[in-house]
Amino acid sequence: MPHVLFSKIDFLKAIEEPQMTDEEIADLFAKLGMEAEVRQPEEGQVDAPSEPEIELEYTANRFDLSGMDGAVMEVRCFLGKDKPVFLDAQPATIDFVVDDNLNDIRPFAIGAIMRGLRLDEKIFKRFIDLQEKLHENACRRRTLVAIGTHDLETVVPPFKYSGEDPRSFSFIPLKTTLHSPTVDMPEEGTLNRTAQEWFDYYEANKLPLGKYIPIVKNLPLVPVIRDSKGVLMSLPPIVNGEHTKCVATRTKDIFIDMTGTDLTRLTIVMNTFLTLFSKHCDSIERVNIINKHSAYGGSPTTFPRLVPYKMDVTTDFINGLLGININTTEICGLLSRKQVVATEDDKEKGLIHCLAPAHRADIIHPADLAEDVMIAYGVDKITGIHPPIADCGVPLLSEEVTATVRTMASQGGYIEMYNFTLSSLAENSLWMNRPTCACEFGEPDWLRKDAKPIGTCKCRCGLVTTLNGKSADTECVRSSLIPSLFRSLRTNSAHSKPICLFEVGDVVVPDLQGCGGSVSFLANSEKCGDKAGCVPSCAGICGGGCCASKREEEGTVAVAPSKYVSPGFEEPNALGTVRSDIGTRNERRLSALRGGPDVMVEEMIPFAAHVFKHFGFTFVSADENIPALIEANKKNNKSTGVWQMIPISQVSRKCAKDGKLSGSCKRWLTDTNSFVQGNVTMLTLTDTAAEPPIISEPVGVMGVVRPDVVRRFGMQSVVVVALEVNIETLYHRLI
């Protein structure tokens, strides 16, 4: 947050409270929502202040608190010693011409005149300090706005703001900007240099103004302000000319120029600057701006625009927002203490008309008025209450189940991994012997006699890919957790064997016209598509061809529990735009690896059995007659939940419905390309308690990973056993 330093003695004198202690000062500003600390002078410290100073930290949108005069104005109104300040300006007598050749560089310039200034050394120092504070905060280090002040007696109006080649003219800048404690000021005879030479000088000697040189360094034209006789007054946003410098004891009339890229910010800064020093001058005078730019609203137009901001608010709105109960008269009085004039309009409706001074640019919404009421009322007086509705959140069932699976896996001796969701195409598919395209999925390659080599298809329609990935590791969204676990296994290959790793996370898989339903939702049966095999009212949601069965109620269809992503999906991402060419869906999976010189599949079976048992599924052999088991349990009023390890050669016979494999089964069959075909099994579930019943539904694979896959991931002489399970189908039994 921005902060400002000013004299404690001058501040207390200005607010007419000379006996206020340091603690009382800190408490006063705390009530105003600011933090203040009184700093005492320290003996022997270089450049130490000669008297106590107040360091005030204020919110960044209160530009009017950028100096002592703004803090005095705020405090005096809060204490009821002053009323809100509304300024007016005299008619314009001076023209300020803004050239069009800066429209693409720094197009805007406005001006104002302060006449009859009464400045001493202290006030003049605050005058200069305010410029610097506004430059750092409101002006964004002069990129949005630059402020210049000139002794009006040294120049002849009208003034002109235009762009010039920095190598084509020379001038003498303010001498106070030409040196620092470590840099000597140039000799008097060398002060008249070109603008470009001064830019190089400020940068080369690392002077304070050097940090602003990049704003104009590479521009073909730089902004210049001249009077009618061609005298260079300013080179915004860098430096003023020596000719028009202001001297505290001599300057009576000042011309203020503000230039920049944002006319709204120019207006705010000008209003703030004039308001804080209006009490030190006799009058403020407008300036005619001659320019046809549409932002000015016509030509000529005048600045400054010291128009107060009007806003209406109601008593109920303020009381409801703050949780207090005060009447309209009290609210008007509290707003007055925060420099806002409030008048009651409709007592029955509690309507209040508010006028905020031009320098209160932070008031843009009725909530800002409520904040001012809260500060004036006293934050410590507002008591907390419990909301009428309990809104305590609880974990989703899926997250509770995920946490349970993680606990079981870690207790089984497996080390958890957290890996990135995006992956490279090579690791996710090609190295795993899996196709990148849904058009290759029909049957796994090892079953097709005319199988094409992996990776020959280029459309990548089976993956959610990134259109503009930032690196090779962010080409697609992972469709399996195993590749990322392989990276972790390779990184930790020096550890003692076996290395046991696991991860629970989300993957995105192609829908393949069959979602393998496990939960129910309501849909309009009239919207059903005519695709073969599609359950009524499911085509528009699961992509068509859903293998789930319809329940008794009309219009109720079972689909996958995870989010379905329609074709053509695009989502901007910091690492690239994620895009899907086909229907896809998210799955929550558990994957585990055991790597070592002689690991076997049998070593992972107890771990899988423990996970399935927790969800109520008992193991039965692949030869078990599941229909007979279901009938037997129905007679005994028992629910059946079993899991099996089915050899790949029996999958088509045991898992097909009406002679067709579900989309889920097709996906898992394709995943078996990564395993040694004589040593891989499909894990299936049967659950008659589910709605609709799940019978021999594939939920995962387990087996020995092919040696060529292991070698592609950079490991030699290592046997890897892998397990991957879709746990979303598992926890359906708990719903």
Side-chain angles (χ1 to χ4, degrees):
M1 294 174 66
H3 61 89
V4 63
L5 281 171
F6 47 82
S7 167
K8 170 189 171 183
I9 296 174
D10 292 345
F11 173 74
L12 294 182
K13 182 179 178 181
I15 66 171
E16 300 177 357
E17 296 286 347
Q19 304 303 319
M20 187 175 288
T21 64
D22 295 352
E23 290 75 15
E24 289 172 335
I25 293 173
D27 183 61
L28 173 63
F29 281 108
K31 290 178 180 178
L32 287 166
M34 294 175 276
E35 186 174 342
E37 180 184 358
V38 179
R39 298 170 55 178
Q40 302 296 335
E42 297 182 13
E43 296 183 3
Q45 183 179 352
V46 179
D47 298 330
S50 59
E51 59 184 48
E53 290 185 323
I54 298 175
E55 182 178 14
L56 178 65
E57 190 172 294
Y58 57 96
T59 54
N61 65 340
R62 288 298 303 270
F63 305 137
D64 57 308
L65 298 177
S66 300
M68 190 196 86
D69 296 86
V72 168
M73 188 181 300
E74 178 82 356
V75 169
R76 287 185 66 86
C77 276
F78 184 74
L79 297 177
K81 296 182 177 183
D82 282 341
K83 294 184 181 295
V85 176
F86 293 89
L87 299 182
D88 195 8
Q90 301 299 319
T93 60
I94 292 177
D95 293 341
F96 190 12
V97 180
V98 180
D99 201 309
D100 292 336
N101 65 352
L102 288 174
N103 279 354
D104 297 328
I105 300 175
R106 288 178 79 85
F108 303 116
I110 63 175
I113 295 173
M114 299 180 73
R115 295 192 182 274
L117 277 166
R118 300 175 296 275
L119 302 178
D120 57 26
E121 292 296 338
K122 284 189 174 181
I123 297 175
F124 185 72
K125 182 180 183 302
R126 298 204 304 267
F127 188 82
I128 300 302
D129 288 345
L130 176 63
Q131 291 185 54
E132 293 308 311
K133 285 298 178 183
L134 289 174
H135 275 152
E136 290 299 309
N137 183 18
C139 304
R140 293 293 187 267
R141 298 189 177 182
R142 306 192 187 186
T143 57
L144 297 181
V145 182
I147 308 169
T149 55
H150 314 277
D151 189 340
L152 194 58
E153 294 181 0
T154 64
V155 289
V156 180
F159 309 120
K160 185 176 182 180
Y161 173 68
S162 62
E164 299 182 22
D165 187 338
R167 299 172 182 81
S168 66
F169 65 93
S170 58
F171 74 109
I172 300 176
L174 278 175
K175 292 181 181 179
T176 55
T177 67
L178 301 182
H179 63 90
S180 69
T182 59
V183 179
D184 295 329
M185 191 174 71
E187 297 179 5
E188 189 72 25
T190 63
L191 292 181
N192 195 16
R193 302 180 183 180
T194 67
Q196 187 61 52
E197 289 173 336
W198 283 124
F199 294 164
D200 297 338
Y201 173 81
Y202 285 126
E203 275 198 312
N205 291 283
K206 298 182 179 179
L207 296 178
L209 290 183
K211 60 186 176 182
Y212 304 120
I213 300 300
I215 301 175
V216 298
K217 185 175 182 179
N218 298 317
L219 297 178
L221 300 176
V222 295
V224 176
I225 298 177
R226 296 183 184 271
D227 73 350
S228 60
K229 292 187 175 182
V231 174
L232 191 142
M233 301 164 57
S234 178
L235 194 65
I238 307 301
V239 66
N240 287 351
E242 176 72 12
H243 182 80
T244 62
K245 69 178 180 180
C246 299
V247 180
T249 57
R250 187 186 67 198
T251 303
K252 300 302 179 184
D253 298 336
I254 286 181
F255 171 68
I256 304 170
D257 73 77
M258 294 193 183
T259 62
T261 59
D262 186 336
L263 187 58
T264 300
R265 187 59 63 94
L266 281 168
T267 305
I268 291 172
V269 175
M270 178 66 83
N271 293 343
T272 302
F273 193 86
L274 294 175
T275 301
L276 297 193
F277 283 91
S278 60
K279 63 182 178 181
H280 300 300
C281 71
D282 293 336
S283 64
I284 297 171
E285 186 178 303
R286 297 186 180 93
V287 173
N288 283 323
I289 305 298
I290 311 299
N291 186 273
K292 296 181 180 179
H293 198 292
S294 60
Y296 286 109
S299 180
T301 185
T302 60
F303 282 86
R305 297 173 176 174
L306 299 167
V307 181
Y309 186 46
K310 300 178 182 180
M311 185 181 296
D312 291 341
V313 69
T314 63
T315 303
D316 290 342
F317 174 81
I318 291 178
N319 285 331
L321 195 62
L322 301 181
I324 58 178
N325 186 20
I326 56 178
N327 59 42
T328 306
T329 304
E330 291 177 286
I331 290 176
C332 293
L334 294 174
L335 286 172
S336 179
R337 294 178 63 189
K338 288 291 292 178
Q339 305 186 60
V340 177
V341 173
T343 55
E344 184 178 353
D345 180 69
D346 190 328
K347 192 168 185 179
E348 293 184 1
K349 296 182 178 179
L351 184 63
I352 304 172
H353 292 314
C354 298
L355 279 180
H359 68 278
R360 285 297 306 275
D362 60 299
I363 298 178
I364 58 177
H365 187 274
D368 298 314
L369 296 173
E371 180 186 18
D372 280 350
V373 171
M374 177 186 67
I375 293 172
Y377 179 80
V379 179
D380 55 328
K381 296 180 182 179
I382 299 177
T383 58
I385 60 173
H386 290 289
I389 300 175
D391 56 354
C392 301
V394 295
L396 296 172
L397 175 60
S398 59
E399 296 302 325
E400 290 185 351
V401 171
T402 299
T404 301
V405 172
R406 287 188 173 121
T407 301
M408 289 189 294
S410 59
Q411 290 176 347
Y414 287 78
I415 301 172
E416 184 172 9
M417 297 287 116
Y418 284 94
N419 291 297
F420 199 38
T421 307
L422 296 182
S423 177
S424 68
L425 287 167
E427 290 184 349
N428 186 79
S429 301
L430 304 184
W431 291 5
M432 295 292 293
N433 278 10
R434 298 176 184 177
T436 61
C437 307
C439 51
E440 292 190 9
F441 267 86
E443 291 180 88
D445 287 341
W446 62 274
L447 287 178
R448 286 166 41 187
K449 296 179 181 179
D450 58 341
K452 295 180 290 185
I454 294 293
T456 57
C457 190
K458 301 297 183 183
C459 71
R460 298 174 183 173
C461 61
L463 298 174
V464 176
T465 57
T466 52
L467 294 179
N468 50 348
K470 302 302 181 184
S471 67
D473 294 332
T474 60
E475 293 177 320
C476 66
V477 183
R478 63 184 180 183
S479 59
S480 172
L481 302 178
I482 294 177
S484 55
L485 288 179
F486 262 117
R487 290 198 302 270
S488 302
L489 184 63
R490 178 184 59 204
T491 304
N492 296 277
S493 59
H495 286 248
S496 59
K497 307 297 188 298
I499 300 176
C500 303
L501 308 176
F502 84 95
E503 181 176 3
V504 179
D506 291 331
V507 300
V508 177
V509 295
D511 189 76
L512 294 183
Q513 297 184 346
C515 58
S518 55
V519 297
S520 300
F521 71 96
L522 293 174
N524 187 349
S525 59
E526 295 179 359
K527 296 182 179 180
C528 173
D530 296 328
K531 298 182 181 180
C534 178
V535 175
S537 75
C538 192
I541 298 169
C542 76
C546 179
C547 65
S549 59
K550 182 181 176 183
R551 293 177 60 189
E552 294 180 359
E553 300 87 78
E554 185 67 24
T556 305
V557 182
V559 297
S562 51
K563 177 183 176 182
Y564 175 77
V565 182
S566 62
F569 162 79
E570 289 190 10
E571 180 69 24
N573 184 282
L575 296 172
T577 303
V578 180
R579 187 176 190 278
S580 175
D581 292 315
I582 63 165
T584 57
R585 68 191 195 93
N586 302 336
E587 287 184 355
R588 182 70 54 86
R589 289 188 178 183
L590 159 69
S591 289
L593 293 184
R594 290 178 67 93
D598 53 0
V599 296
M600 296 180 292
V601 177
E602 288 77 6
E603 295 173 320
M604 194 169 280
I605 294 177
F607 168 65
H610 182 58
V611 173
F612 282 108
K613 184 177 181 180
H614 175 81
F615 294 100
F617 293 94
T618 57
F619 175 75
V620 296
S621 69
D623 298 327
E624 183 73 34
N625 189 335
I626 298 299
L629 181 63
I630 293 173
E631 290 298 325
N633 283 324
K634 282 183 178 180
K635 293 180 180 179
N636 298 324
N637 294 322
K638 294 182 180 180
S639 62
T640 301
V642 298
W643 70 281
Q644 296 173 291
M645 296 171 55
I646 301 178
I648 297 302
S649 59
Q650 301 180 25
V651 168
S652 298
R653 178 172 56 87
K654 286 184 169 290
C655 300
K657 298 182 178 72
D658 300 326
K660 297 181 180 179
L661 292 176
S662 67
S664 176
C665 190
K666 292 177 183 178
R667 284 197 308 271
W668 288 113
L669 278 175
T670 305
D671 288 351
T672 61
N673 286 353
S674 306
F675 296 88
V676 177
Q677 293 306 317
N679 205 346
V680 59
T681 57
M682 183 85 75
L683 307 182
T684 64
L685 294 183
T686 295
D687 187 4
T688 57
E691 283 290 340
I694 298 174
I695 301 176
S696 297
E697 181 63 30
V699 294
V701 290
M702 181 170 61
V704 178
V705 181
R706 291 172 51 149
D708 58 327
V709 172
V710 178
R711 286 194 296 271
R712 290 190 190 110
F713 282 93
M715 291 173 286
Q716 302 291 335
S717 304
V718 176
V719 180
V720 179
V721 177
L723 161 74
E724 187 154 30
V725 177
N726 177 10
I727 62 175
E728 290 194 15
T729 307
L730 287 177
Y731 77 72
H732 169 68
R733 189 173 175 83
L734 302 180
I735 297 177

